[in-house]
Structures are given as structure tokens and as C-alpha cells.
Amino acid sequence: MNYKAAIFDMDGLLLDTEQVCMTAFQQTCTEMDIPFKQDIYLSIIGRNQAGIKPIIENGYGDLLDYSVFHPRWMQRYLAVVEHQAIPVKSGIIALLEWLQSQNIPMVVATSTHNALAHKKLQLAGLAHYFSHITSGDEVINGKPAPEIYLLAAQRLHISPEQCLAFEDSNNGVKSAIAANMTVLQIIDLVEPDTDTRALGHHIFNTMDEALTFLKAV
């Protein structure tokens, strides 16, 4: 390959956490007698906390007090992810091992807070594959802005154009493409919408398909 680094999203891409987070959101809605608006929820996937807040507030309006809802939602979510190993997504280990065999440095660019991202990867047994984590709390403008991917490339001292970016969410894809990286999207909870597909990146249903593609490049 002509690429010199691989940058990975984490939730929904490396780890099967998106379903855990959505379930916690749904349960909090039920507890507070608030309707679960799936379209609103799916639109926040890939964003950091600063990006999530206005979308939920605008989408729910007077139905929801975010200052009350968010702590309850996070309490449910963290009760799982801070203490249990979240399952690794299918095909990830094979891909990471192959990239390692190709001497391709690997890092994470996640909207998750840095300390929590480290804990998730450690519990899942993946932390040793990555030289560092760039997280949502380290940037001003989260995904879909390119800032997090540009920072990850800067820390590697590698130009963004020489980086592969692995994403599951549409927001993440837009972020990596805006950073001028070659993007591989592996679909998780959200199908790429028309605007995302028009970006012309590589889209796969499974990580195994992505690995087969890379081996042929």
C-alpha cells in the first residue's frame, strides 16, 4: 500500500458500543416519559458531547431538559462501558494484525472523552495496537469537522493524504474526507445517506470486505 498510517474511529467501528449507547438513551426516555425519536438519535452518532447537545435540544424542544436527561443517560451508559469489555466488532482483529504486519502505524480518532476511550480499549484488549488516541475533548470542532483527523495526522507527523481513515458513521466519514484522507466506511447502525454516498469513498458491509479490498490495493 502507498498509505503510511491508519486512523480508526472507535465506537461502532472497533467496538460494538453504539447499540449499548442507544439502549441507554431509550431506557432514559422511558424512565422520564419522553418519546424515543430514532431519527434524532441516529443523527448524533459520531459527534462529540458539544455536538450532541444542540441536536437533542433542537430535536426534542420542550419535551426534554438536557441538563437532567444527559446525566441520567450517561449514568446508564457508563455503568456498562466503564466496567465491562464491550465486544470487538467482527473482523477487527484480523485487520489490525494485518496492518501491523505491514508496519502501518495505527491510532484512534474518537469523539469519546480521552480517559473513557483508553478504558474502553483496555477492557476490550485492543489498546496495544494503537500508539495514541485523539479524542473529542481535545478539539474545539468535533466530527463532521476535520479537526480531530487533522490533529491525529499531525501527531503522527504524516500528511493527511497519506492516511487511511476507518469510520462507521456519516459524521465521521465527512470529517475524514474533509481532512483529505482515504476513507473506508464500514456500516454499523446507520446506512450512508445519499449525501454521504455522493462523497465517493469506499463503503463496506463488513470489516472482512474492507480487509480484502486493502490486500488487493
Side-chain angles (χ1 to χ4, degrees):
M1 292 194 305
N2 294 323
Y3 302 102
K4 295 187 176 180
I7 304 178
F8 288 82
D9 176 50
M10 183 179 68
D11 295 302
L13 189 282
L14 296 173
L15 305 177
D16 197 10
T17 41
E18 294 295 2
Q19 188 63 56
V20 176
C21 195
M22 185 169 72
T23 297
F25 189 98
Q26 288 176 292
Q27 290 172 340
T28 307
C29 286
T30 299
E31 175 195 342
M32 299 180 66
D33 197 25
I34 297 167
F36 171 59
K37 297 186 177 184
Q38 187 175 45
D39 58 332
I40 300 299
Y41 182 84
L42 295 179
S43 71
I44 68 173
I45 291 177
R47 294 179 181 267
N48 63 8
Q49 289 297 337
I52 288 171
K53 183 176 184 287
I55 292 175
I56 292 179
E57 288 184 327
N58 291 335
Y60 276 86
D62 294 338
L63 292 173
L64 180 150
D65 181 343
Y66 192 80
S67 66
V68 177
F69 181 89
H70 183 260
R72 295 187 185 183
W73 171 28
M74 286 298 100
Q75 183 179 28
R76 289 179 182 275
Y77 177 63
L78 294 175
V80 178
V81 300
E82 287 190 335
H83 305 287
Q84 300 177 28
I86 301 300
V88 175
K89 296 281 286 187
S90 176
I92 282 295
I93 298 297
L95 174 65
L96 297 178
E97 290 286 340
W98 183 77
L99 287 170
Q100 197 171 62
S101 75
Q102 302 300 303
N103 297 312
I104 301 293
M106 295 174 282
V107 299
V108 170
T110 175
S111 295
T112 296
H113 189 280
N114 197 276
L116 181 57
H118 277 281
K119 178 168 282 190
K120 286 179 179 179
L121 291 174
Q122 288 167 356
L123 286 171
L126 296 182
H128 67 283
Y129 287 105
F130 305 104
S131 60
H132 71 254
I133 296 171
T134 301
S135 53
D137 55 312
E138 296 181 287
V139 298
I140 296 172
N141 302 299
K143 301 174 185 179
E147 187 176 346
I148 193 168
Y149 275 103
L150 293 174
L151 179 58
Q154 179 184 339
R155 287 174 169 173
L156 285 164
H157 305 290
I158 295 173
S159 69
E161 293 80 6
Q162 294 177 304
C163 296
L164 288 170
F166 294 84
E167 273 285 354
D168 65 293
S169 72
N170 295 333
N171 288 317
V173 166
K174 292 170 184 174
S175 173
I177 287 180
N180 293 318
M181 297 185 179
T182 296
V183 181
L184 287 74
Q185 183 175 16
I186 295 81
I187 299 171
D188 185 40
L189 288 184
V190 183
E191 287 280 338
D193 56 27
T194 302
D195 289 343
T196 304
R197 289 184 180 277
L199 295 172
H201 60 296
H202 306 287
I203 302 174
F204 305 96
N205 290 309
T206 68
M207 192 60 76
D208 292 328
E209 292 177 5
L211 177 55
T212 298
F213 167 78
L214 289 174
K215 287 181 175 179
V217 172

